[in-house]
Amino acid sequence: MAPNPAHTALWPAPHASEAVAATVHVPGSKSVTNRALVLASLASEPGWLRRPLRSRDTLLMAGALREMGVGIEETVSSSSSGAGSPDGTGEAWRVLPAGLRGPATVDVGNAGTVMRFLPPVAALADGPVRFDGDPRSYERPLHGVIDALRVLGARIDDDGRGALPLTVHGGGALDGGTVEIDASSSSQFVSALLLSAPRFNQGVEVRHIGSTLPSVPHIRMTVDMLRAVGAQVDTPESGGEPNVWRVTPGALLGRDLTIEPDLSNAQPFLAAALVTGGRVLIPDWPARTTQPGDRLREIFTEMGGSCELADYGLVFTGSGAIHGIDVDLGDVGELTPGIAAVAALADSPSTLRGVAHLRLHETDRLAALTKEINELGGDVTETADGLHIRPRRLHGGIFHTYDDHRMATAGAIIGLAVEGVQIENVATTAKTLPDFPELWTGMLGV
């Protein structure tokens, strides 16, 4: 079979000849959109998602839920609730819960949220649901969800792999109860069980027994969204035991929810202001959020920029200098590729720590960043749990992406300052950030 042209094409990363000055409307959050789709599908009444992200990962989630019988209707309206796009209109998805059913076949692509959040949903379906996906999805850890569901009463065929492909034999209900898991490789194991838990007969008590827990803000996001639709959740932050979450069984409410901009996907645009000494406005940046990307304000300020959060959004301004940083990114690992790209252009070394789990993401992000930056003349060394980056003068070349959207945007950041960088398969950004090339060149006025 011939290779997909999009996977072999080289995209010349635009070089910035002057400071960036732009307003960038960042699409909705993937993390919020996919959680909201699951919760709306399990609710006792219809709900709305306004300004959802339309990307590969979210369309895979919507398609999978439709396969299991959920109605998801897409509309475009000019209501104020959907405002925010340049023409004043906003897309909305009407979610119509229904009896979950099989047989069904789910394509997870390489979306961690789909492959982990939906097996618990499938356990509630009436009939078998088969899960399959991209070749890389077979290598990503899923044992935490599979093993836990078996303890809670589900029947799953995975041929002992602890990974895809697999079939969940839904029985129309699930007992639930108490389960111990090791979520050291992904906090999504915890979120997956919590999202469906209100529909389990006994709810769930999830006890994390691993040595580390990455991306805790994503669990807080799950908890906040559960509470917003009427679920009762006890957490370590609310006075419960450390590393224990309890969800009480009960009906979930339908909501009319407007999805926040994806703050992690705002990263390359904020980085552009930092790298070029320019100014970027991201409209509608929330004053309060559980999105991990909000920490960019702190990190990029420490690296040489400044920011102002106003009612209309976030204004980030670069100073013309980029400083190295020593930072633990354990809670915000998805930001690592973009931070590494900026650090490669800094005036002093950087150490990025707490992200050993990135070896299990869309690709081995630590190995990929090391290889690609070094092949442009950089000096990056892998550590046990991160990267050490010593800035050097970089040169042009091909920046490979490994079908990883954040590798592609990292390469584009470097290309701002280094002429001749070519991004292989920039189309992979469609996983979470549709039309990235157009947004990027528009920001630069190209």
Side-chain angles (χ1 to χ4, degrees):
M1 186 170 62
N4 185 333
H7 289 206
T8 56
L10 298 177
W11 181 65
H15 182 260
S17 57
E18 57 187 19
V20 167
T23 296
V24 181
H25 290 267
V26 177
S29 163
K30 176 202 74 172
S31 297
V32 174
T33 298
N34 274 358
R35 284 166 171 79
L37 279 170
V38 172
L39 291 172
S41 298
L42 296 174
S44 58
E45 56 192 352
W48 285 95
L49 275 63
R50 303 190 187 275
R51 292 167 59 183
L53 174 67
R54 279 185 62 90
S55 71
R56 186 185 186 214
D57 279 17
T58 60
L59 293 175
L60 285 168
M61 179 67 86
L65 290 165
R66 287 189 182 109
E67 276 285 308
M68 287 188 273
V70 177
I72 301 175
E73 302 171 350
E74 302 181 30
T75 65
V76 176
S77 69
S78 57
S79 69
S80 59
S81 298
S85 60
D87 63 355
T89 65
E91 183 166 8
W93 291 354
R94 176 75 160 165
V95 182
L96 304 168
L100 298 166
R101 64 170 186 261
T105 299
V106 168
D107 176 12
V108 309
N110 190 19
T113 50
V114 181
M115 71 179 72
R116 292 167 182 149
F117 292 177
L118 288 190
V121 176
L124 299 168
D126 185 9
V129 181
R130 177 168 174 78
F131 289 81
D132 208 337
D134 297 353
R136 171 62 180 173
S137 71
Y138 293 8
E139 303 170 22
R140 300 186 67 183
L142 199 53
H143 55 85
V145 174
I146 295 171
D147 295 346
L149 285 175
R150 285 182 175 137
V151 170
L152 297 174
R155 183 161 71 91
I156 301 174
D157 291 339
D158 68 337
D159 293 331
R161 287 182 302 269
L164 292 169
L166 59 85
T167 298
V168 179
H169 295 274
L174 194 68
D175 291 339
T178 300
V179 64
E180 293 184 342
I181 65 170
D182 182 349
S184 300
S185 58
S186 177
S187 68
Q188 288 177 354
F189 294 169
V190 176
S191 288
L193 298 171
L194 300 184
L195 285 167
S196 293
R199 290 283 302 273
F200 299 169
N201 294 338
Q202 303 172 40
V204 81
E205 178 180 294
V206 179
R207 293 180 167 270
H208 166 60
I209 57 172
S211 56
T212 61
L213 184 61
S215 303
V216 171
H218 275 127
I219 299 177
R220 295 192 186 113
M221 176 188 293
T222 298
V223 170
D224 278 8
M225 293 183 69
L226 276 162
R227 288 173 172 161
V229 293
Q232 181 178 328
V233 189
D234 296 324
T235 70
E237 292 81 7
S238 60
E241 297 177 59
N243 292 327
V244 177
W245 298 263
R246 295 183 182 90
V247 180
T248 301
L252 297 179
L253 308 174
R255 277 198 71 189
D256 190 322
L257 175 67
T258 299
I259 306 296
E260 299 174 355
D262 193 313
L263 307 188
S264 295
N265 277 340
Q267 180 181 39
F269 307 103
L270 301 181
L274 187 54
V275 168
T276 67
R279 178 180 178 275
V280 167
L281 164 64
I282 307 293
D284 303 318
W285 193 287
R288 177 190 176 276
T289 180
T290 51
Q291 287 192 63
D294 192 46
R295 198 169 159 211
L296 285 166
R297 293 190 289 151
E298 167 200 335
I299 293 170
F300 277 171
T301 296
E302 187 174 342
M303 296 187 80
S306 61
C307 65
E308 176 189 359
L309 182 59
D311 290 343
Y312 52 82
L314 179 74
V315 178
F316 189 83
T317 307
S319 64
I322 307 170
H323 309 311
I325 191 170
D326 187 329
V327 61
D328 187 329
L329 299 176
D331 279 352
V332 291
E334 65 198 52
L335 304 180
T336 303
I339 294 169
V342 173
L345 304 170
D347 56 16
S348 58
S350 294
T351 299
L352 313 184
R353 294 178 282 104
V355 287
H357 61 285
L358 294 190
R359 295 187 171 97
L360 301 169
H361 274 220
E362 280 79 348
T363 187
D364 179 341
R365 285 180 171 164
L366 300 184
L369 287 165
T370 300
K371 180 176 183 294
E372 298 308 314
I373 295 174
N374 286 350
E375 288 194 354
L376 299 183
D379 184 1
V380 181
T381 304
E382 272 193 71
T383 65
D385 71 337
L387 300 172
H388 187 62
I389 302 168
R390 302 170 190 82
R392 290 174 57 176
R393 184 177 181 84
L394 303 180
H395 55 71
I398 296 175
F399 195 94
H400 298 91
T401 62
Y402 309 88
D403 292 325
D404 186 332
H405 54 130
R406 299 206 193 278
M407 287 295 296
T409 53
I413 292 168
I414 292 173
L416 291 173
V418 180
E419 291 193 65
V421 174
Q422 298 182 83
I423 310 298
E424 171 259 348
N425 186 19
V426 74
T428 195
T429 52
K431 185 177 192 294
T432 63
L433 187 53
D435 304 321
F436 169 73
E438 291 79 6
L439 286 169
W440 195 247
T441 53
M443 173 192 69
L444 295 168
V446 178

